[in-house]
Amino acid sequence: MQITSTAVSLTVEDVTASAAFLQRHFGYQEQMSADGFVSLGHPDGGVNVVYLRRGLEVLPEEQRHRTADGVALAFVVEDIAAQERRLRGEGVEITLPLREEPWGEKLFQVTDPNGVPIELVEWVKQ
């Protein structure tokens, strides 16, 4: 099997709000959209993010009203302290302050308008 790209699909209440948050603060760009749907890609590659509006009939009946609760987007970055300062400067609330874990991970979290946690991670060389 050859995988040509990867995407994560998240069901949310307000597709436009989550898409705008990723575009404004993380550099994602809209690749396609329709009523209740948007697909975003990043110019540096990585995982595409697809948002679907809760209740959309294209979803199987048992999934239509579930949301992305319990799911977090995680982005590995360089100079995590600078990213935290940048996001604070843009008025983004830091919902989990910058911390360093004993296994060599620095991280912090923000939350998008639909409550989806976005975690930024930097791996510390040990």
Side-chain angles (χ1 to χ4, degrees):
M1 169 176 58
Q2 179 182 4
I3 297 174
T4 59
S5 65
T6 302
V8 61
S9 180
L10 304 171
T11 303
V12 296
E13 293 290 338
D14 187 343
V15 167
T16 302
S18 283
F21 190 81
L22 275 192
Q23 290 171 307
R24 178 170 182 218
H25 300 295
F26 295 96
Y28 271 77
Q29 299 170 352
E30 184 178 305
Q31 294 183 322
M32 64 181 97
S33 65
D35 181 36
F37 159 84
V38 66
S39 177
L40 303 168
H42 197 277
D44 294 336
V47 173
N48 287 5
V49 178
V50 174
Y51 290 110
L52 299 170
R53 184 181 62 238
R54 189 174 72 80
L56 202 61
E57 290 185 12
V58 68
L59 293 168
E61 178 67 36
E62 66 275 5
Q63 295 177 11
R64 282 185 196 155
H65 298 287
R66 294 170 54 190
T67 61
D69 188 41
V71 174
L73 290 175
F75 301 132
V76 178
V77 299
E78 294 178 358
D79 197 354
I80 196 164
Q83 294 301 322
E84 183 191 33
R85 285 191 303 275
R86 176 186 65 81
L87 288 166
R88 281 186 193 277
E90 293 174 3
V92 176
E93 179 184 357
I94 306 301
T95 51
L96 177 68
L98 182 60
R99 57 196 278 172
E100 186 170 341
E101 301 294 353
W103 52 85
E105 175 185 29
K106 289 183 182 178
L107 64 101
F108 72 93
Q109 282 186 356
V110 300
T111 303
D112 92 345
N114 283 290
V116 177
I118 300 173
E119 183 172 286
L120 279 77
V121 176
E122 180 178 22
W123 293 102
V124 180
K125 294 178 182 158
Q126 295 191 15

